[in-house]
Amino acid sequence: MRRILLSTAKILISGALLYLALRKVDLSELFSRFTVTSLFWIGLAIAVTFLQIFVGVLRWREISAACGAPLELGRAMRYNVIGSFFNQTLPSAIGGDAVRLWLVARAGAGWRAATYSIFVDRAIGLIALAIMIVASLPWSYGLIADPHGRSALLLVDLAALAGGLGFLVFGALKWHWLKTWWATHHIHACAVIANRVIFSRSRGPAVVILSLAVHVLAVVVAWCVVQSIAAPVGFSDVFMLVPPVMLITMMPISIAGWGVREATMGLAFGFAGLAANEGVNVSLLFGAVYFIVGAIGGLVWILSAEKAAQGSAPLGVPE
C-alpha cells in the first residue's frame, strides 16, 4: 500500500508540475517550428544520447570491476540501454538503476557487489555534476541576474557538493565501528570503494574524465534540441543552465523527472533573462529524446536473453 501511495504521489506531482509548465507553452506554435532540419537535429540528439549511455557504460565497468562485479562491454551496454527504458516507465528518475542492479545480481555477481557498483556509480556521477556546476559558477552568476535564482543555484549545488564530498570523507575514516555497525557498514564500504576508484592512478583519471563527459553530452543533447526549434539560446546558456536542472531532476519525486524538469527549466530560463516558455519547450523535447531512447531500450529488453531467461538458471558474469 505504501508503494502504491508513493507512486500515486509521484504521478500527481509530475502531472501538476507539467500542467503548470505547459500553461506557458503554445504547443501549436511549437509544432509549427518543426522542419526537415528539425528532424536532423532530433536524430543527432538521439545519437548523442546513445553515446552518453556508452560513455556511462565505460565508467560503470571501471567501478563494477572495483566492486567485484566485472562486466563485458556488450553486456554492460545492454544493461544500460535496458535501464534507460525503465527510467522512463518506473515511478522514479533512478528506476533504471534498480533494474541494472537486479540484472547484474541475477547474472551471478551477487546482490552486494551489484548494489555497490550501482550506488558508487551514481555517487561518483553526482559528485562530478556538482563539481562541474561549481566550476561554472563565476559565469553562471553573470548569466543569472535574479538574486533568488542565484541563491537557489548556490544552495542546491553546495548541498550536492557537500553530500558528495562528505561521502568521500566518510570513506576515509578508519573507525572500526563504521565497518561493523549495521547502519553504516554498507555505506562505508561503498565510500571506501569510491575513494579507491577516484584516487587510483590506473582508474581515477579515466573515471573522472568519463564522469564529466557524461554531463557534457547531456548539454550537447539539449543544444541539439535548441537547434531543432531554432530557439534564441546560445550554447553557453545551455551549458550553464542544464546541469543544475539535471541535478534537481535527480530528486526521486516524479515519474522519470517529468514535470520537475519542465518547471525547473522554465524557472532557470526566466532567471537567466530568457523566455521561460522556451525553457519548457526545450525541456519537453529533451525529455522526448530520452523517451525515444527508452523505447528503443524497451525493445532491447523484450529481445534480450535476460528477459527470455526469467525464472531459469542465472546467467554468468565473466571473471
Side-chain angles (χ1 to χ4, degrees), residues 89-138:
T89 56
L90 294 182
S92 169
I94 57 174
D97 288 345
V99 174
R100 286 194 298 152
L101 188 160
W102 177 77
L103 288 170
V104 175
R106 184 172 168 275
W111 289 103
R112 176 175 296 187
T115 303
Y116 285 7
S117 74
I118 299 299
F119 188 88
V120 174
D121 183 57
R122 174 65 68 164
I124 290 178
L126 178 62
I127 294 170
L129 181 57
I131 290 175
M132 182 175 168
I133 298 172
V134 167
S136 64
L137 275 177

Side-chain angles (χ1 to χ4, degrees), residues 275-299:
N277 67 304
E278 290 289 22
V280 179
N281 289 339
V282 170
S283 182
L284 287 171
L285 293 176
F286 184 84
V289 166
Y290 280 91
F291 184 84
I292 293 171
V293 171
I296 296 172
L299 292 177

